[in-house]
C-alpha cells in the first residue's frame, strides 16, 4: 500500500466514523432520553470494557486458567477491581492494574 493509498484509507475511515456518529449527536440534542434509558446506558461502557478484558484475564493461553499462582492477569484484575471499589475512580484503578501487572511480570 502506497502512502497516498494509506492516507486515503485513513480519510475514508475518519469520514465513515464521523458520518455514522454525527446523526446520533445531532438528534440527541432534540430528543429527550427517558430516565430509564439513561440509567441503562450508564452500564454500557463498563459492560463493553468487561467483555473486552475478560477473555485476556481468564483465558490467557487460550484455555481457562483460574490459578492465581501462574496467571498474573488474574491478580492484576483483582488489584484493579479492589482499587476501583475502594476509590470509585477510574484512573487509580487503571494505574493499580498496570502497576500490579508490571510488578507480577518481574517475578
Amino acid at each position: 500500500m502506497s502512502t497516498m493509498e494509506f492516507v486515503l484509507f485513513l480519510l475514508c475511515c475518519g469520514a465513515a466514523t464521523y458520518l455514522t456518529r454525527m446523526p446520533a449527536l445531532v438528534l440527541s440534542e432534540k430528543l429527550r432520553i427517558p430516565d430509564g434509558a439513561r440509567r441503562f446506558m450508564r452500564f454500557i461502557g463498563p459492560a463493553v470494557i468487561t467483555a473486552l478484558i475478560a477473555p485476556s484475564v481468564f483465558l490467557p493461553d487460550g484455555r481457562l486458567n483460574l490459578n492465581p499462582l501462574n496467571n498474573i492477569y488474574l491478580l492484576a484484575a483483582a488489584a484493579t477491581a479492589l482499587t476501583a471499589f475502594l476509590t470509585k475512580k477510574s484512573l487509580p484503578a487503571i494505574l493499580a492494574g498496570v502497576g500490579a501487572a508490571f510488578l507480577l511480570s518481574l517475578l
Side-chain angles (χ1 to χ4, degrees):
M1 180 182 297
S2 70
T3 303
M4 185 54 107
E5 288 174 331
F6 183 70
V7 169
L8 183 61
F9 173 74
L10 286 178
L11 290 173
C12 289
C13 287
T17 301
Y18 180 79
L19 292 173
T20 56
R21 287 173 170 76
M22 185 46 85
L25 291 173
V26 170
L27 291 175
S28 69
E29 292 178 359
K30 296 179 175 124
L31 295 175
R32 185 181 175 321
I33 299 172
D35 290 336
R38 282 187 191 277
R39 283 193 304 271
F40 172 76
M41 289 175 16
R42 283 192 354 224
F43 296 103
I44 293 174
V48 168
I49 201 84
T50 301
L52 291 171
I53 292 173
S56 297
V57 170
F58 298 110
L59 307 166
D61 299 321
R63 53 193 163 81
L64 186 63
N65 184 354
L66 299 177
N67 184 355
L69 297 177
N70 62 8
N71 184 354
I72 66 167
Y73 306 111
L74 193 61
L75 294 173
T80 304
L82 180 65
T83 306
F85 178 75
L86 294 174
T87 65
K88 308 285 192 255
K89 296 183 187 301
S90 298
L91 185 59
I94 292 168
L95 294 175
V98 170
F102 174 72
L103 292 174
L104 289 167
S105 71
L106 296 177
L107 297 176

